[in-house]
Amino acid sequence: MKSFLSLLLVAVPLAASAQTAVVQDRANLQPLAGVRVIPTQGGNALLTDARGKFNTQGFLDTDSLRFERTDYQTRTLAVNQLAALNFRVSLTERSYSLDEVVVSASKFEEKRADVPQQIQVLKARELAFQSNQTSADVLQQSGQVLVQKSQAGGGSPILRGFEANKVLMVIDGVRLNNAIYRGGHLQNVITVDNAALEKVEVVFGPGSVVYGSDALGGVVHFYTKSPVLGDSAGTRVTGGAFTRYATANQEKTGHVDFSVGGQKWGSFTSFTYSDFGDLRQGRNRNPFYGTWGLRPSYAQWQDGKDVTVPNENINVQKFTGYKQYDALQKILFQPSANTSHLLNVQFSTSSDIPRYDRLTEVDGQGALNHGDWYYGPQERWLAAYTFATKGRGWLENVRVTAAYQSVEESRHNRRFKRTTLQNRFEHVDVYTLNADASRLLGNHELRYGLEGTYNDVSSRAYGSDLITGERSPLDTRYPSGGSDMRTAAAYFTHTWEITPQWIFSDGIRLSRVELNANFQDKTFFPFPFDEVSQKNTAVNGNLGLVYQPGQDWRFSAVASSGFRAPNVDDLAKVFESVAGQLVVPNPNLKPEYTYNAELSIGKTIAQSVRVEGTGFYTWYRDAITTQPFLFQGQDEVEYNGQLSRVVASVNANKAYLYGFSGAINADITSAFRLSSTLTYTYGRIKSETGETPLDHIPPVFGKTSLFLTLPKFRTEFFVQYNGWKHLEDYNPVGEDNLQYATPQGVPSWYTLNLRTAYQIHPRIQVQAALENILDKFYRVYASGVSAPGRNFMLTLRGNF
């Protein structure tokens, strides 16, 4: 008996007293859920809960614990070290992880390592650290997406030489692209509130098998934050807020969000307000630029007439400011672990947004072309209901989403010294239904689904006299009799894990697209047709193979096809693309197709450096591009008081693109990281007379970042850079906007930038950033507005 008591007295000091510990992010002190706590001497692993907590009961003081999460660097600590750390374990984020889970490639969760396509993921903590003004800026600063801007309130992502309606945007599983997404440049991405995002996934290359029409260059999938349910401890209330100020455009932004969750019910609410002033461009200019990009004067309506007013600061881009409002509400009901119901309501609107590039245009005598040119409030409503459940057999995992969107946009323009303001309004009602399911059969994962969409487009227009207020008839942008577009599709994809080293994937999709446009009013254009109808059927497929011979190497190959059916904007619009150039309908337009092959090679060195490169080649057939056209046998017609050259969207016979994207990510130490990307794209249209440049092809571009992460502190110094876009690489009649560049094209540029974040308190963080430190003047390719000059940003962020 005495021997037993003696042994017990010796053992007791070796056992750790039961204590709750917390695993948190090293820089922002936020708790980390889902961290695996693994005893190195053997035994069962634990997972940290939603509050980042785990219990040390059962471990001895001499035991060692390894802390693992796919997106954080692994750390090992002895149990007796936890007390010295106040039972708080800090982890540093990893620069790259193939084990993280992605969704966009197949609509279901899968490891990034198993996906053959090139994917970029931007997570919530990265979005918060970047503290970008808009979702367009989020993509631009990703380093792998170039974003064109015609005005400050805009942003048109370019993926692998495809832009606008050739890049599919999706939010929470609902496609944003609608029947009037145009082929030039789009500003719709700013209607997505980046402050409410959980993450962004960018899938490069054709995504038509899973997503259908429009996904030629890739898919940008936005995922908004969702309610956080409570647990047995009771109702969980969390939230956050921030306010931000920036000097380059006098930005003032405020945001608040909060989640209330019980065991079965949850609610998430988000609201963001932004006020952007006129944007100041960089002062340091290359003498070669001359007056390019300067704003010496602007139009102002005074005493019933237009006058030209000198600009007090020629580097301030007068009429680039606007305001934006975004709201999000989600309600989650989860009656069991296997079933959930989610209601998702989103609203975004803005003030009038000046079309800056058009307001800077001048005629041959140097006089301004426009007295007014602005977009009306850009309004987007979305209401979606998602039902998800786990069943048996072919319905092992099921998700059904029914959604309605209401999209309102308008254009208002007036020629300089004229009194009539032209007003054109467009409204689109969009109905979508998606049913997706998956099943696991041994080493085979099957995914399949159905999709249906319906777009109803209405268009109206009138002229209004600024002096008398009298209204006058005006031609509509789209057919005045209305237009509609319908799609139906079914898809099937399959992943086969042949061995842990070899993973094979394939997929096929059948799509049907129908369109009707009714040209009821021919007052302004004597169209030789009353209506246009199209019915198109497309079959798309893909094959992928991933080979991972060990922990260090990864090879993947993809062969895929994509298609895009002409929409209402392609087929039926009449509008002035640029002064003196008129786009007219072409009822003979056909779908465009791509056939893509790509190869990726990745190498991990010493478990801390990841080098990866992807090369692709795309065969582009029946490419829809803007080309000279004849209207009733004429190549020029009178429009808007000016003789204009006639162009139309036509199917170019053949085109091709190829390019390369490289990246290096290195965890040099537990505190110091490096990340760098570089992207190159080349594209040409083939014809009997030779080759001409394909429009929307960006110059070489990239980003290099150095990160330092210390307790409570994080900083990033980064360089963004673009190569030359020379005159000979511009499409002569396309959407490259040479009129807003120099006569030789858009010069190369680079910027030096610094951002920091300091966690004053676990609940309060202050962020400061200095962008374009050298105050350089530059413009991004195809943009009609110059980029910000030196910009100091200050953000105060709190959470509860």
Side-chain angles (χ1 to χ4, degrees):
M1 185 66 178
K2 291 182 179 180
S3 299
F4 174 75
L5 291 175
S6 299
L7 181 63
L8 184 63
L9 290 173
V10 172
V12 166
L14 295 177
S17 58
Q19 176 73 42
T20 299
V22 177
V23 182
Q24 62 187 18
D25 183 285
R26 187 183 191 189
N28 61 26
L29 307 183
Q30 298 309 299
L32 297 177
V35 177
R36 296 183 70 212
V37 184
I38 306 170
T40 59
Q41 69 280 354
N44 295 328
L46 302 176
L47 277 179
T48 58
D49 63 15
R51 297 172 174 83
K53 296 181 179 180
F54 73 98
N55 199 294
T56 63
Q57 185 175 9
F59 297 123
L60 300 178
D61 283 345
T62 55
D63 287 346
S64 291
L65 302 179
R66 187 169 68 251
F67 299 88
E68 292 184 353
R69 206 175 94 162
T70 57
D71 49 347
Y72 279 81
Q73 297 180 35
T74 299
R75 185 178 183 185
T76 301
L77 291 169
V79 174
N80 56 21
Q81 291 179 284
L82 295 179
L85 298 173
N86 294 320
F87 292 95
R88 293 187 175 273
V89 180
S90 297
L91 300 184
T92 303
E93 63 183 303
R94 191 188 298 270
S95 62
Y96 188 88
S97 174
L98 285 172
D99 291 325
E100 68 181 333
V101 173
V102 295
V103 180
S104 298
S106 66
K107 293 192 177 181
F108 289 92
E109 292 185 350
E110 55 187 331
K111 286 175 58 176
R112 184 173 182 172
D114 297 344
V115 179
Q117 294 99 323
Q118 179 190 357
I119 296 181
Q120 184 180 26
V121 182
L122 303 170
K123 303 183 187 69
R125 67 173 180 271
E126 187 174 354
L127 297 172
F129 177 63
Q130 289 184 356
S131 194
N132 294 124
Q133 294 185 345
T134 69
S135 291
D137 296 330
V138 167
L139 296 175
Q140 174 71 17
Q141 290 200 10
S142 71
Q144 295 192 42
V145 181
L146 195 70
V147 177
Q148 180 275 350
K149 289 187 178 184
S150 296
Q151 64 278 338
S156 190
I158 304 173
L159 301 182
R160 292 191 175 178
F162 292 97
E163 185 187 355
N165 58 21
K166 297 174 178 60
V167 170
L168 182 65
M169 291 193 297
V170 182
I171 186 165
D172 294 332
V174 179
R175 56 185 292 136
L176 290 174
N177 292 43
N178 59 51
I180 63 171
Y181 266 40
R182 57 190 180 272
H185 310 290
L186 287 173
Q187 73 275 11
N188 303 71
V189 69
I190 69 167
T191 67
V192 175
D193 180 15
N194 62 304
L197 293 177
E198 181 63 33
K199 67 174 179 176
V200 183
E201 291 185 7
V202 182
V203 183
F204 295 85
S208 293
V209 168
V210 175
Y211 291 97
S213 181
D214 298 1
L216 297 182
V219 179
V220 181
H221 201 147
F222 300 98
Y223 297 88
T224 59
K225 297 176 182 178
S226 293
V228 179
L229 295 182
D231 50 28
S232 58
T235 301
R236 188 175 184 196
V237 179
T238 60
F242 72 82
T243 182
R244 181 176 59 234
Y245 176 77
T247 59
N249 57 357
Q250 306 297 307
E251 179 211 10
K252 295 171 283 292
T253 290
H255 168 83
V256 62
D257 65 65
F258 58 91
S259 170
V260 180
Q263 292 189 37
K264 294 185 177 182
W265 287 90
S267 170
F268 176 79
T269 304
S270 170
F271 180 76
T272 305
Y273 167 74
S274 294
D275 182 350
F276 304 105
D278 290 332
L279 180 63
R280 181 184 57 80
Q281 63 189 9
R283 293 186 178 90
N284 294 328
R285 305 168 54 86
N286 188 320
F288 157 77
Y289 298 161
T291 60
W292 176 48
L294 295 177
R295 184 73 154 134
S297 60
Y298 56 91
Q300 191 174 84
W301 182 259
Q302 294 181 1
D303 300 324
K305 63 180 180 180
D306 279 320
V307 295
T308 301
V309 178
N311 192 3
E312 293 181 358
N313 186 341
I314 58 177
N315 286 310
V316 172
Q317 299 173 95
K318 195 71 175 178
F319 302 125
T320 49
Y322 69 101
K323 299 177 181 179
Q324 182 152 337
Y325 313 81
D326 294 281
L328 169 70
Q329 176 64 55
K330 285 185 178 181
I331 297 175
L332 173 65
F333 174 51
Q334 189 169 299
S336 70
N338 294 329
T339 302
S340 68
H341 306 263
L342 178 66
L343 178 64
N344 183 352
V345 179
Q346 301 175 17
F347 175 68
S348 177
T349 191
S350 68
S351 64
D352 293 339
I353 300 179
R355 178 70 187 266
Y356 180 76
D357 56 353
R358 295 299 182 87
L359 292 173
T360 63
E361 292 177 351
V362 295
D363 60 21
Q365 286 72 46
L368 293 168
N369 282 336
H370 294 92
D372 286 304
W373 215 123
Y374 59 91
Y375 292 106
Q378 187 168 274
E379 186 174 292
R380 177 180 68 87
W381 276 100
L382 180 147
Y385 163 71
T386 299
F387 169 73
T389 188
K390 294 182 184 297
R392 295 180 179 179
W394 291 94
L395 300 179
E396 189 173 300
N397 291 288
V398 178
R399 184 172 56 248
V400 179
T401 299
Y404 166 72
Q405 295 179 75
S406 174
V407 180
E408 184 91 36
E409 60 182 53
S410 61
R411 295 162 176 79
H412 310 265
N413 64 287
R414 181 179 59 83
R415 292 286 183 178
F416 190 70
K417 292 189 176 180
R418 295 186 186 177
T419 61
T420 299
L421 179 68
Q422 298 183 350
N423 307 278
R424 293 180 173 87
F425 302 84
E426 278 69 55
H427 183 86
V428 188
D429 292 306
V430 186
Y431 304 85
T432 61
L433 178 64
N434 293 85
D436 304 289
S438 71
R439 183 184 187 186
L440 191 63
L441 289 174
N443 293 332
H444 300 265
E445 186 170 359
L446 313 178
R447 310 175 193 92
Y448 28 87
L450 302 171
E451 179 184 66
T453 71
Y454 177 76
N455 285 239
D456 183 40
V457 181
S458 60
S459 191
R460 59 189 179 91
Y462 63 86
S464 56
D465 193 284
L466 295 188
I467 297 177
T468 65
E470 182 180 353
R471 289 192 176 187
S472 56
L474 185 67
D475 56 310
T476 56
R477 179 178 174 88
Y478 301 114
S480 57
S483 309
D484 64 81
M485 188 174 179
R486 303 172 299 280
T487 71
Y491 77 92
F492 176 87
T493 65
H494 161 241
T495 300
W496 176 21
E497 187 175 337
I498 305 171
T499 69
Q501 291 77 36
W502 292 93
I503 298 172
F504 174 76
S505 60
D506 54 45
I508 189 169
R509 182 187 185 99
L510 175 65
S511 301
R512 175 75 168 178
V513 183
E514 298 182 358
L515 183 150
N516 292 305
N518 188 355
F519 293 87
Q520 189 178 51
D521 187 353
K522 299 184 179 182
T523 303
F524 297 92
F525 261 86
F527 298 111
F529 38 79
D530 297 323
E531 64 178 5
V532 173
S533 296
Q534 280 203 350
K535 297 180 180 180
N536 297 298
T537 302
V539 177
N540 294 106
N542 62 22
L543 295 172
L545 186 65
V546 176
Y547 174 51
Q548 301 176 96
Q551 295 294 321
D552 296 338
W553 286 97
R554 180 178 182 272
F555 303 87
S556 67
V558 180
S560 57
S561 67
F563 93 104
R564 199 185 73 83
N567 62 15
V568 173
D569 186 87
D570 294 307
L571 201 67
K573 74 179 172 186
V574 175
F575 87 114
E576 188 180 27
S577 175
V578 297
Q581 180 170 294
L582 181 69
V583 177
V584 299
N586 175 14
N588 298 318
L589 201 61
K590 300 182 296 183
E592 52 188 341
Y593 298 88
T594 59
Y595 305 92
N596 181 74
E598 63 183 86
L599 176 66
S600 296
I601 302 175
K603 169 70 172 175
T604 300
I605 304 170
Q607 298 183 341
S608 59
V609 179
R610 179 72 183 177
V611 181
E612 196 164 48
T614 300
F616 73 92
Y617 191 99
T618 301
W619 293 265
Y620 195 6
R621 298 296 178 261
D622 293 325
I624 297 178
T625 62
T626 304
Q627 300 290 336
F629 199 70
L630 295 178
F631 181 76
Q632 295 185 329
Q634 297 180 308
D635 60 3
E636 290 185 324
V637 297
E638 181 82 14
Y639 181 78
N640 215 7
Q642 182 176 356
L643 190 63
S644 299
R645 177 177 55 167
V646 177
V647 298
S649 294
V650 301
N651 295 102
N653 289 331
K654 295 180 180 179
Y656 65 90
L657 305 93
Y658 62 80
F660 170 82
S661 177
I664 179 171
N665 295 276
D667 295 325
I668 300 173
T669 70
S670 61
F672 189 59
R673 298 186 295 120
L674 177 145
S675 177
S676 186
T677 65
L678 186 70
T679 300
Y680 170 77
T681 312
Y682 183 88
R684 288 293 186 268
I685 300 172
K686 290 184 175 181
S687 65
E688 295 180 357
T689 57
E691 294 185 348
T692 57
L694 184 65
D695 46 358
H696 304 288
I697 305 299
V700 62
F701 67 94
K703 176 185 177 183
T704 298
S705 296
L706 298 173
F707 296 92
L708 177 64
T709 304
L710 300 172
K712 300 184 180 182
F713 179 78
R714 180 183 180 188
T715 186
E716 177 191 9
F717 175 76
F718 64 99
V719 184
Q720 281 198 273
Y721 34 87
N722 272 212
W724 260 94
K725 177 75 174 184
H726 291 284
L727 180 64
E728 59 267 25
D729 294 322
Y730 276 77
N731 185 290
V733 293
E735 301 285 352
D736 282 343
N737 288 341
L738 183 57
Q739 70 272 25
Y740 303 128
T742 74
Q744 289 76 35
V746 174
S748 59
W749 56 267
Y750 71 91
T751 62
L752 305 181
N753 313 270
L754 179 70
R755 60 168 63 102
T756 62
Y758 180 70
Q759 202 73 31
I760 301 174
H761 179 273
R763 301 297 185 188
I764 302 175
Q765 182 186 80
V766 62
Q767 297 174 251
L770 188 59
E771 299 178 336
N772 193 359
I773 295 173
L774 301 180
D775 202 22
K776 285 198 167 190
F777 166 80
Y778 69 99
R779 277 192 175 180
V780 176
Y781 151 72
S783 295
V785 62
S786 303
R790 185 182 295 118
N791 185 28
F792 176 71
M793 302 175 67
L794 184 65
T795 305
L796 181 64
R797 191 179 298 271
N799 68 82
F800 59 89

